[in-house]
Amino acid sequence: MTEYLLFPGRHHVLTRFQGEFLRERAGGRTVVWAVTSANHRTTKRNPVGFDRREAAIERFSVAEGIRSLVVGVVDTPPTDEFAEVTVKAIEAGTDDLVRLTPENTVVACSTDEVSKLYERLGFTVIGVEPEGVLRPWDVLLMVAAGNDEWRAVAHPATVDVFERYALDAQVRRCVNDPVVGDDGGLTTTRDYKTYADAFETAADRKWQQIKEFVRPGRILDIGCATGATLQLVDADPRFHESDLIGVEVARHLFAECEHKKEQGFFRNPNVYFYQRNMLGSAVFPARSIDTTLTLALTHEIWSYADGSRPETVQRFADALYAHTAPEGVWINSDVCGPAEPDRSVVLELDDSDGSNPAQPAELESLDDPAAYIGKLSTRARFFQFAQDFRRNARVPFEYAVQGDRLVLRLADAMDFLTRKDYVDNWLSETHEQFCGLNFAGWSAVAERAGFRIDPSSRPWRNDWVIDNRIAPVASITTPTGDPVDWPDTHQLLIARR
């Protein structure tokens, strides 16, 4: 008789049918639960963390009278070697005590594509859910839809763990999130290593700009990226008794925050990280936060809004005001549009610094979009940007070509000029609109929420970017040929309650 029954899957939800199935088919075998995507949680594809899944499996096993081993398998890209990877992960996860072979193991699986991978290795595979029986993912979608009938289909072990840890609300929040992708990122094309490096590099400069406005107490950094700014707060003796709280929606960056905490990067014991989209339900109690930091974040909230962008950013500001304590502060440091966004300007761009193809490319079909963009002239990048920006950011981006001159809105010109060198993350960056609101617009959003604007607030221009990235290859004038000063590119908004 075979010793093991291998049961691979994500196992977010266990069902009553699975209980009946394993009681009948496990016999005296040990059930090896290979819990895939074990390193994922709070994403659309994997909303429940491994620890909660493992807890439910253990309760399930006791209730059904079966002997189980639970092994987490980290997420892997799609591969024809999935079965082999899983078997090896089980060996590693049990310190080589469990070695699954076709002679000692039968596999339980209802996914045809996965079953074939195990059969190719010589394993016997038995199906689990027959036609007409709800599979675990179907039950999870019932949870996400708010259909309480899921409780009648799910195993009592899952119902118990979901109720004790409010996982039904977490599943609804994650699966229905309009912003976050299946695997916990804003876009599938974003290179998070590049972003992480950029945030680490810029953290000290941003901290020098904002540190005098930070109030001790509960300090919240929304969109905290790798936690670099909170490290600087942690190092400042003024805040040694403060609670430091980071919220990051991207799974890759959130994992780096937790890694830093585990490695002892923070001296303050009161450092906490949440993986959460702040556009969902309230995360913090009313009037409980003394300082809220949003650094390079608000343009993303504008850009990835589900529905009306003005309504989305207003809802965000309203939520910040609600959780801000009396005399508390919201510090917003980010890009912004020019004071006169609709001003018509003439943009002239260098076409001698790279190639000039006749038409923009379909970058998604290229093996290396970054290499392609890197070889384009500044003028050619404009036409490529126009195509990708319209499609990805869902903006009009209208312009007229008059010989070598491009006539367009000043805000649109600056959206291109401030993004044209983001070669490594071009497809991701073209989802975002830097110039959706100017400083006056963001100030009005804060004031409508109830904040008062501190006199220290101001728009400002990044002259290094202008002098080194933009001015050498571009110029802007009025339609009559008069020079136009380069406009503001950034903002520092200090909003107090």
Side-chain angles (χ1 to χ4, degrees):
M1 179 179 176
T2 53
E3 299 177 51
Y4 301 106
L5 188 152
L6 172 60
F7 196 10
R10 286 178 279 169
H11 299 306
H12 295 288
V13 171
L14 309 176
T15 66
R16 294 176 186 269
F17 178 85
Q18 288 175 332
E20 298 170 1
F21 173 86
L22 290 175
R23 279 201 312 271
E24 177 184 338
R25 302 303 295 266
R29 304 183 184 102
T30 296
V31 179
V32 180
W33 302 73
V35 181
T36 57
S37 299
N39 57 324
H40 284 197
R41 62 179 179 180
T42 63
T43 67
K44 284 184 186 293
R45 195 163 62 92
N46 295 288
V48 181
F50 171 70
D51 54 346
R52 307 300 188 220
R53 289 183 259 172
E54 183 179 32
I57 291 170
E58 295 290 2
R59 289 188 62 81
F60 174 101
S61 301
V62 172
E64 298 298 339
I66 60 176
R67 185 174 187 269
S68 291
L69 289 173
V70 185
V71 179
V73 181
V74 301
D75 190 63
T76 58
T79 173
D80 288 340
E81 297 179 352
F82 171 79
E84 186 175 357
V85 168
T86 302
V87 169
K88 290 180 178 178
I90 290 166
E91 292 178 7
T94 60
D95 289 334
D96 291 328
L97 293 176
V98 176
R99 292 179 174 269
L100 305 183
T101 68
E103 290 70 37
N104 68 9
T105 303
V106 63
V107 178
C109 180
S110 294
T111 305
D112 291 339
E113 295 82 357
V114 176
S115 296
K116 291 175 183 177
L117 299 179
Y118 284 102
E119 289 172 345
R120 194 175 67 185
L121 296 181
F123 288 94
T124 298
V125 180
I126 57 175
V128 184
E129 294 90 3
E131 188 82 20
V133 172
L134 288 175
R135 296 189 179 188
W137 187 254
D138 300 322
V139 182
L140 193 79
L141 292 180
M142 291 172 67
V143 178
N147 182 352
D148 263 351
E149 292 183 11
W150 72 270
R151 298 171 188 274
V153 184
H155 192 275
T158 286
V159 175
D160 174 64
V161 173
F162 269 50
E163 287 180 344
R164 282 190 287 131
Y165 294 100
L167 295 181
D168 51 347
Q170 177 172 304
V171 167
R172 287 195 297 272
R173 183 175 65 247
C174 296
V175 175
N176 300 321
D177 194 310
V179 175
V180 183
D182 286 352
D183 288 327
L186 294 175
T187 68
T188 58
T189 55
R190 176 166 288 188
D191 177 356
Y192 280 97
K193 183 183 184 305
T194 301
Y195 273 79
D197 291 345
F199 284 124
E200 292 284 333
T201 300
D204 187 66
R205 172 177 54 80
K206 291 180 180 179
W207 177 241
Q208 295 304 318
Q209 183 188 50
I210 68 173
K211 65 180 183 179
E212 67 179 281
F213 305 107
V214 177
R215 285 175 49 86
R218 301 191 79 206
I219 300 172
L220 168 65
D221 185 0
I222 304 176
C224 65
T226 61
T229 301
L230 287 179
Q231 285 179 258
L232 295 170
V233 180
D234 176 64
D236 192 319
R238 292 179 298 158
F239 308 112
H240 73 281
E241 292 186 350
S242 295
D243 288 353
L244 310 184
I245 306 165
V247 173
E248 176 52 56
V249 69
R251 176 179 59 83
H252 313 71
L253 301 177
F254 174 76
E256 180 61 22
C257 292
E258 291 205 313
H259 177 70
K260 283 184 174 182
K261 185 176 178 180
E262 291 169 359
Q263 296 300 310
F265 278 65
F266 296 92
R267 297 177 299 178
N268 188 332
N270 297 310
V271 178
Y272 310 96
F273 291 104
Y274 294 79
Q275 186 183 5
R276 193 67 59 84
N277 174 12
M278 289 290 293
L279 292 179
S281 57
V283 178
F284 303 101
R287 302 190 175 202
S288 66
I289 302 295
D290 296 283
T291 298
T292 299
L293 307 177
T294 56
L295 311 181
L297 173 75
T298 49
H299 76 276
E300 290 192 342
I301 292 173
W302 171 273
S303 299
Y304 294 102
D306 180 41
S308 167
R309 285 171 167 153
E311 290 178 5
T312 298
V313 296
Q314 191 62 59
R315 188 169 76 251
F316 176 72
D318 292 346
L320 298 193
Y321 184 79
H323 77 213
T324 300
E327 306 304 320
V329 62
W330 168 29
I331 303 172
N332 183 31
S333 174
D334 200 4
V335 294
C336 70
E340 300 178 278
D342 295 325
R343 182 179 185 181
S344 180
V345 296
V346 173
L347 178 64
E348 295 192 59
L349 302 170
D350 191 348
D351 63 359
S352 67
D353 54 350
S355 62
N356 294 279
Q359 298 292 333
E362 294 295 334
L363 296 182
E364 291 84 352
S365 66
L366 302 182
D367 292 334
D368 191 352
Y372 176 83
I373 295 294
K375 294 177 181 178
L376 296 179
S377 72
T378 302
R379 183 176 172 86
R381 286 189 195 186
F382 174 87
F383 296 111
Q384 185 69 51
F385 181 85
Q387 171 182 284
D388 299 332
F389 193 47
R390 287 169 176 164
R391 177 183 303 165
N392 295 334
R394 309 184 312 278
V395 294
F397 200 76
E398 298 175 353
Y399 64 90
V401 179
Q402 298 178 354
D404 293 337
R405 297 157 31 114
L406 302 164
V407 182
L408 71 171
R409 296 169 65 244
L410 178 57
D412 291 338
M414 294 307 296
D415 251 314
F416 165 67
L417 293 171
T418 53
R419 222 83 52 75
K420 68 180 180 61
D421 296 301
Y422 288 20
V423 173
D424 290 341
N425 276 291
W426 182 275
L427 284 173
S428 178
E429 287 293 338
T430 51
H431 282 80
E432 299 182 9
Q433 187 178 23
F434 281 17
C435 300
L437 288 177
N438 57 19
F439 176 70
W442 283 111
S443 297
V445 168
E447 289 176 324
R448 282 193 295 269
F451 290 103
R452 57 182 176 83
I453 308 302
D454 188 282
S456 300
S457 304
R458 60 186 176 87
W460 59 281
R461 186 176 69 193
N462 188 325
D463 286 329
W464 187 92
V465 171
I466 297 295
D467 294 340
N468 292 276
R469 298 290 190 184
I470 296 178
V473 294
S475 66
I476 51 173
T477 62
T478 66
T480 57
D482 296 322
V484 173
D485 289 336
W486 295 109
D488 296 318
T489 57
H490 291 72
Q491 62 170 317
L492 176 63
L493 181 64
I494 312 300
R496 300 188 181 276
R497 176 162 185 163

